[in-house]
Amino acid sequence: MAKTELQNRSGTRIDSGKIDEFGATLAGKLIRPTDPDYDTARRIWNAAIDKHPGLIVRCLGVADVVQAVKFAAANDLLVAVRGGGHNVAGRALCDNGVVIDLAAMRGVLVDPDTRTVRVQGGATLGDLDRETHLHGLAVPMGVVSRTGVAGLTLGGGVGWLVRKHGLSCDNVVSFEVVTVKGEVVTASADKHPDLFWALRGGGGNFGIVTCFTFKAQPVSTVLGGLLVHPRDRAGQMLRFYRDFMATAPEELTVYAAILTTPDGMPAVAMIVCWSGDPVEGERVLAPLRAYGPPLLDAVQPMPFPAMQQLLDGAFPNGTYNYWKASFVPKLGEAVIDLLVEHGNLMRSPLSAVVVEFYGGAPGRVGASESAFAQREAEFNIGIMAQWTDPAETAAHVAWVRDAYDAFEPHSSGMHLLNFQSEAGDDVVRAAFGKNYARLSEVKRKYDPANFFSLNQNISAAAP
Ligand code: FAD
């Protein structure tokens, strides 16, 4: 392979003296293809992504982000922005261009009096939970602690508190954003309200978020864990899950998954998180725990950060991953049959088919109140292939695509963008529905030349 070098979008090499001058303006560091830490720095969670940036700018603060944006704009460079590096499609990286990397900007400041939290743009969910938990608080996020707050929140953000407290983006009070012009602006209900609207679900299209301010919720100890059943009960268990969740209080979030246990047993499971009163939780969960009965009932009281780490082991760094997801309005019989059929066709013990029920708080926010439009379809089906041998890639990708195609006739037509290894323009437009035209308008205002292009891209072109 030719040695990777920094090139502009037309393929012209950037002079190394210019790169040195830029490096001298930073508090953080430049990582070049010739540096010993380059291969570590260009690695992200998903080993299937193997990109070779021409330069990685490891920013230490907002001023570094501003310098990096100005340098990239002045030299017409392709730009990728890295938060937690957990985007399954690998959008945190690019070939030949520059990665503006926020991995060293992981500060979290909690104000327990106002129950607000300021979080830098490279923080992980684990960074956030660790600090909020000290005050008996939590911000609704996702379910794997190494995921980035930034990418997750900008794409909506669903997790254990979603039914009671809403999406991560619904809990944002304000964003500090570095724009394409290198200006630092605040987007909130009062300041740049159009940008505030667009950033709540519209992804990394409009600028680099260097700091999020969230409202935090009083959540400290939860009742959580796995209920594991044999795979041959998958259809029955999924029907029970659907019926149980139809009347379950919003303090309860349960995901159902067709998976393989670590000792190799084909299984189906419910992963439970009750975030309300513990005594009431025991009562509500009793029928769920009695059902079957399960082969394993690991539900127990635990600190919320432990709940957030419960699935970390199932998504280790460095495996190969390909995911797709579809919203279905209801878990009808045909959908359940397909879940069982395609779950049984899974080609890796690390893969899973997951059903996530979000009914509750997300649906109380109108589809046009923020960019995130997918508020009515309550069940999300995630088809997640994970494997360790790159020679098997085609087979695992084919399994995901086949299952996704099979669910399409039952889908709401919308797909959770955070979970897509691939999403064509049609999928992106459908995910935003009627909001797309307004997003396009905001894109025209804040990033007309599509400087921020490596994301689920919104076109700046007028319809
Ligand atoms: P990155 O790869 O760093 O970035 C993702 C995208 O956001 C890129 O387009 C990037 O350019 C942009 N971006 C990153 N940081 C910034 C920033 N500071 N400013 C502007 N743009 C930025 N999603 C859920 O909703 N709920 C879950 O429970 C959940 N669980 C997950 C578990 C695992 C193991 C993985 C891999 C993903 C999970 N996701 C979940 C999906 C996840 O939210 C998305 O993949 C998200 O993009 C990851 O964000 P990140 O910051 O880690 O990613």
Side-chain angles (χ1 to χ4, degrees), residues 174-326:
S174 67
F175 302 88
E176 177 188 76
V177 188
V178 175
T179 68
V180 66
K181 293 180 185 157
E183 292 165 352
V184 184
V185 303
T186 298
S188 65
D190 306 325
K191 296 176 185 163
H192 299 280
D194 50 354
L195 187 56
F196 181 60
W197 176 87
L199 288 168
R200 287 176 294 142
N205 273 287
F206 311 98
I208 301 181
V209 179
T210 43
C211 189
F212 295 78
T213 303
F214 290 100
K215 58 185 181 209
Q217 309 293 345
V219 174
S220 185
T221 300
V222 298
L223 201 51
L226 264 78
L227 297 166
V228 181
H229 296 263
R231 178 77 64 79
D232 56 17
R233 263 191 233 154
Q236 266 173 281
M237 195 210 80
L238 288 166
R239 287 179 181 90
F240 171 81
Y241 165 72
R242 171 195 61 197
D243 297 342
F244 185 84
M245 292 314 290
T247 56
E250 291 178 1
E251 287 83 354
L252 182 65
T253 298
V254 181
Y255 290 176
I258 299 176
L259 45 73
T260 308
T261 61
D263 58 357
M265 189 189 72
V268 61
M270 289 184 277
I271 311 150
V272 174
C273 178
W274 167 267
S275 59
D277 173 71
V279 175
E280 173 72 356
E282 293 287 356
R283 193 190 63 74
V284 171
L285 290 184
L288 201 67
R289 300 176 77 173
Y291 171 77
L295 296 175
L296 171 76
D297 176 351
V299 175
Q300 56 191 295
M302 61 180 80
F304 186 65
M307 181 76 216
Q308 291 286 90
Q309 292 163 19
L310 206 66
L311 301 181
D312 283 9
F315 297 96
N317 285 339
T319 54
Y320 294 76
N321 286 268
Y322 185 88
W323 297 3
K324 276 180 171 284
S326 294

Side-chain angles (χ1 to χ4, degrees), residues 322-339:
Y322 185 88
W323 297 3
K324 276 180 171 284
S326 294
F327 276 112
V328 293
K330 56 186 173 61
L331 269 195
E333 292 302 304
V335 172
I336 290 180
D337 290 348
L338 286 173
L339 284 164

Side-chain angles (χ1 to χ4, degrees), residues 38 48 59 84 122 147 151 158 183 206 270 296 303 313 321 344 349 354 389 403 406 432 455 457:
Y38 174 76
C59 299
T147 316
V158 287
E183 292 165 352
F206 311 98
M270 289 184 277
L296 171 76
N321 286 268
N344 285 331
V354 183
D389 180 357
F432 293 114
N455 40 54
N457 205 231

